[in-house]
Amino acid sequence: MNFANLTRRFFNATHQLSRILTFNTIQRTNFVGVRSISTTPFIYNESNINEDVNKKLMEFFDDKKNWNENDVKHGRSWQLPELRIKSNTDLHKLWYILLKERNMLMTMEHEHSREWRWWASPERLDKVKDSMKNVETVVRERNRAYYELETGEDGEVPVVKQTNMLGLVEVRRKREHRIPLALNRKWRENNPGPTNERDMHRFLKLYREKNYMVHRRSKNRARNHVIRLLRRFPDLDRNILKQKYPSVNIDNLGRRDKFRGHYVFKVD
Amino acid sequence: MRITLINQAKKYNILKNIGELSKTYGNFPDSYVKRASEQVYWKTPRAPQYQKRTVEKNNFRFTTNRPWTGQFKMQNMPNMRRKKVFIEPIQNWSFFRGDRVEVLVGKDKGKQGIINQIFQERNWVIVEGLNCHFRSVGKEKDYPGVIIRSEAPLLVTSQVKLVDPTDLLATDIEWRYTEDGERVRVSTRTGRILPIPKAHEETMDYKAKKLYLNREKDTPEDVVTEITFEPKLATFEMDIMEEMKIEENRVPKKTYWY
């Protein structure tokens, strides 16, 4: 693949930038610390900086011809099957191309919002992010295959399901520590399990009640919606309704007053 | 660190209310459609004392303006409430762009036309040149305005019917499978297949997939389809380190996961 050219340009730019920065710091230390060596202080000047670097820093911005466009035509994101046939090196290079593109798009978005301007085709950012997510997924798949073959584990950060202080079950990713849990008093203090059982049960009772009310309300809403649908469309296929609103007992709806209505409904 | 609670209240998702055909026509990634069309009033900050909750608009009026457009936003201003529209649920959507249909109602009753636009959120189709009305644009005291003819949408459930291509008469259809396992629309009257028109492929970016022009930053097709993957007993990181000739001999200290 011909990504090499692009990545080389990117690395050259960063290299140049680091050279400027180091040059600057050396000058400053000489100026402050070592008096015997006479050096001219570094003054920021257009001519001091290599023109090439300026050009390369402009890679943070979009092509100038796109600046006043209403619409920038572009393709779609990289899909998983397309990435699965690429070598690790290609994926690595593609990642940096995408990263650079994302930086460019985010810079442009920021700059446009700063100047209160319309930014063309903001979905480009979503597409690049989607591609990056897909690259990461493929890399993870490959790594998981290796670890499962070699160690029998998937090599991912382990996930634990545990009950927290409020008695709610939560899922969290484990973290890496230098000392074992038995010695880590601070961590234990910060992550207490269910301690005060009386308060916890009282909280859980209220929490369950709240969840139940939400659930009941949504069920009622669905039932009323189905009733009103059937009033408007009497010949509606009941099987579709059963599929779409599984919580509603459609066969028993005819008994309700709401279904009958207090007047003859005008069907339009 | 973000903790996900198992018993979380269901969040409203506008994507569920946007039709599949509208999404494919827009040719946008789902994340963009969601971000452009949703209206979040308040979101809990990312901090341990907050649970993940949002307050957002959950009743939208879908119209002939696509959900990701500014016009849609104008018609669904924050805290604006409009009368609920009841939409008949449909099992299988069978009207596509480019289909010939017969209009069953209105002043163009009995006429046939081609489907131009589809609004799945409202069970609507727009038939080219039929069911029109006139409206004036830019009307002022001393200026009569410009009169524009625009098509009104028609309901697919009761106001239009597909046309059988063999005898050009309106017909009911059924979805069936061919011997090859392909899912097709079949006219119940004549038993002929109604092929899905090519205009169905059309999106906002191109008329047909083949007609799409490669842009400056697009990867050429031969590069995309090239197979460079070679299976190897190594992780991604090991492979890249070998490629770049990076040697790592340090032995990591024992760590604990909890």
Side-chain angles (χ1 to χ4, degrees):
Chain A
M1 282 170 83
N2 199 16
F3 296 131
N5 197 17
L6 267 169
T7 43
R8 206 187 305 131
R9 268 161 62 196
F10 174 65
F11 284 123
N12 271 348
T14 47
H15 184 60
Q16 290 278 4
L17 193 66
S18 64
R19 263 176 61 194
I20 294 166
L21 292 174
T22 45
F23 180 56
N24 200 346
T25 47
I26 288 165
Q27 289 287 351
R28 211 179 281 154
T29 47
N30 281 349
F31 192 63
V32 176
V34 193
R35 290 242 168 144
S36 56
I37 304 165
S38 64
T39 49
T40 47
F42 183 83
I43 300 160
Y44 178 81
N45 198 341
E46 284 278 313
S47 59
N48 276 3
I49 292 176
N50 195 350
E51 257 184 46
D52 206 30
V53 177
N54 266 346
K55 218 180 268 175
K56 274 165 184 166
L57 279 174
M58 278 309 282
E59 285 180 22
F60 274 108
F61 294 85
D62 203 354
D63 199 350
K64 230 172 193 177
K65 71 184 175 196
N66 288 340
W67 286 7
N68 292 322
E69 289 285 305
N70 280 328
D71 185 27
V72 180
K73 291 280 177 200
H74 58 280
R76 56 172 175 81
S77 55
W78 281 84
Q79 301 301 310
L80 284 172
E82 291 156 3
L83 294 168
R84 284 191 184 115
I85 57 172
K86 297 292 173 209
S87 68
N88 286 336
T89 326
D90 284 346
L91 290 183
H92 193 227
K93 284 170 184 169
L94 180 61
W95 175 267
Y96 280 100
I97 289 166
L98 290 167
L99 185 69
K100 228 185 122 187
E101 187 70 12
R102 195 184 69 177
N103 279 346
M104 184 277 281
L105 290 170
M106 283 160 100
T107 312
M108 289 309 283
E109 191 184 24
H110 179 80
E111 199 57 22
H112 278 77
S113 69
R114 202 171 65 87
E115 299 221 333
W116 287 82
R117 293 262 217 107
W118 161 258
W119 183 42
S121 304
E123 71 274 10
R124 282 179 290 169
L125 196 53
D126 293 82
K127 285 180 184 176
V128 170
K129 280 179 183 172
D130 186 43
S131 304
M132 288 175 88
K133 204 181 87 190
N134 287 346
V135 171
E136 211 175 337
T137 310
V138 171
V139 169
R140 278 188 143 181
E141 272 175 10
R142 286 180 189 174
N143 282 5
R144 200 177 299 132
Y146 171 83
Y147 283 118
E148 273 173 4
L149 192 67
E150 291 292 295
T151 64
E153 286 166 7
D154 59 2
E156 297 277 336
V157 174
V159 168
V160 66
K161 211 190 218 183
Q162 67 178 35
T163 315
N164 67 8
M165 205 169 81
L166 300 171
L168 297 172
V169 182
E170 63 187 18
V171 177
R172 69 167 183 87
R173 293 164 84 194
K174 285 183 178 179
R175 289 166 101 185
E176 203 173 11
H177 296 268
R178 280 189 214 162
I179 47 173
L181 181 57
L183 300 177
N184 201 345
R185 205 180 69 197
K186 203 177 168 190
W187 192 91
R188 273 183 285 134
E189 276 170 6
N190 287 339
N191 296 274
T195 43
N196 190 340
E197 294 229 330
R198 197 157 150 267
D199 283 357
M200 193 189 84
H201 286 304
R202 193 164 156 268
F203 166 75
L204 278 181
K205 207 174 115 191
L206 294 170
Y207 187 79
R208 263 185 246 116
E209 187 187 336
K210 193 185 149 197
N211 272 357
Y212 167 71
M213 293 302 276
V214 168
H215 180 64
R216 198 176 73 166
R217 236 173 270 140
S218 77
K219 255 175 86 176
N220 283 352
R221 211 179 295 123
R223 192 198 59 220
N224 289 344
H225 186 75
V226 169
I227 287 173
R228 287 152 97 185
L229 272 179
L230 282 169
R231 279 206 318 223
R232 279 163 181 81
F233 315 108
D235 304 329
L236 199 54
D237 189 358
R238 307 292 158 117
N239 289 331
I240 303 174
L241 283 179
K242 276 176 193 168
Q243 268 177 31
K244 213 177 171 194
Y245 306 97
S247 66
V248 184
N249 189 353
I250 287 153
D251 303 326
N252 285 349
L253 284 181
R255 291 182 201 158
R256 303 189 85 89
D257 279 359
K258 233 178 211 170
F259 187 76
R260 195 185 63 237
H262 308 299
Y263 54 89
V264 180
F265 196 84
K266 194 183 151 199
V267 179
D268 41 28
Chain B
M1 184 174 49
R2 195 80 195 173
I3 288 165
T4 47
L5 287 172
I6 285 173
N7 322 320
Q8 258 182 9
K10 267 184 195 166
K11 205 174 156 270
Y12 176 76
N13 188 0
I14 193 171
L15 277 179
K16 280 183 187 169
N17 292 336
I18 299 173
E20 272 313 307
L21 289 176
S22 308
K23 282 186 215 161
T24 47
Y25 175 67
N27 205 15
F28 290 122
D30 275 2
S31 58
Y32 174 72
V33 174
K34 187 163 184 288
R35 156 165 96 89
S37 51
E38 73 183 354
Q39 286 184 32
V40 178
Y41 303 143
W42 186 72
K43 207 174 194 175
T44 45
R46 271 185 77 111
Q49 69 266 42
Y50 293 103
Q51 290 191 0
K52 205 179 176 182
R53 298 281 185 274
T54 49
V55 180
E56 63 183 311
K57 191 177 179 67
N58 58 7
N59 49 342
F60 288 90
R61 168 69 65 97
F62 291 97
T63 57
T64 50
N65 293 316
R66 300 291 180 187
W68 50 84
T69 56
Q71 290 97 315
F72 179 81
K73 207 159 256 181
M74 290 291 283
Q75 286 180 326
N76 292 282
M77 292 291 270
N79 301 321
M80 182 199 261
R81 292 219 160 236
R82 293 184 72 175
K83 209 178 155 191
K84 192 175 178 180
V85 180
F86 286 86
I87 293 145
E88 195 176 339
I90 294 176
Q91 185 85 1
N92 297 312
W93 184 270
S94 32
F95 292 81
F96 302 101
R97 191 175 294 102
D99 268 335
R100 182 183 282 271
V101 289
E102 190 173 309
V103 178
L104 306 178
V105 290
K107 59 181 174 186
D108 290 325
K109 189 174 171 178
K111 286 185 188 170
Q112 293 184 359
I114 306 293
I115 291 180
N116 209 0
Q117 292 184 69
I118 297 165
F119 302 98
Q120 230 183 337
E121 302 85 31
R122 292 289 294 268
N123 287 349
W124 278 347
V125 291
I126 283 184
V127 184
E128 209 173 343
L130 294 185
N131 199 32
C132 289
H133 56 274
F134 294 92
R135 58 197 170 93
S136 52
V137 174
K139 195 178 175 183
E140 280 173 28
K141 270 179 193 172
D142 48 348
Y143 181 64
V146 185
I147 290 184
I148 286 176
R149 193 183 71 156
S150 62
E151 294 104 336
L154 289 158
L155 279 172
V156 294
T157 47
S158 56
Q159 297 175 345
V160 286
K161 233 174 183 187
L162 282 170
V163 169
D164 192 334
T166 51
D167 53 7
L168 292 178
L169 291 172
T171 175
D172 287 322
I173 65 113
E174 216 172 53
W175 283 96
R176 287 187 203 154
Y177 286 93
T178 60
E179 284 181 359
D180 304 333
E182 200 190 345
R183 196 160 164 266
V184 290
R185 297 179 296 176
V186 177
S187 159
T188 45
R189 184 157 48 78
T190 58
R192 298 297 183 109
I193 292 172
L194 276 73
I196 290 171
K198 277 192 177 163
H200 170 52
E201 260 189 49
E202 188 186 325
T203 68
M204 272 175 23
D205 292 337
Y206 48 79
K207 289 274 176 192
K209 263 182 191 171
K210 276 184 186 171
L211 298 175
Y212 176 76
L213 292 172
N214 263 13
R215 314 285 165 179
E216 194 189 351
K217 284 190 175 174
D218 291 348
T219 320
E221 199 191 335
D222 54 326
V223 179
V224 176
T225 49
E226 192 192 348
I227 301 173
T228 53
F229 175 67
E230 283 166 17
K232 199 176 177 185
L233 192 65
T235 61
F236 177 81
E237 291 82 4
M238 284 153 77
D239 197 15
I240 295 296
M241 278 167 84
E242 198 188 319
E243 184 85 18
M244 294 187 159
K245 288 172 187 142
I246 301 168
E247 274 189 33
E248 178 62 76
N249 298 322
R250 290 174 294 175
V251 180
K253 226 178 163 184
K254 186 174 165 48
T255 53
Y256 304 88
W257 287 86
Y258 48 86

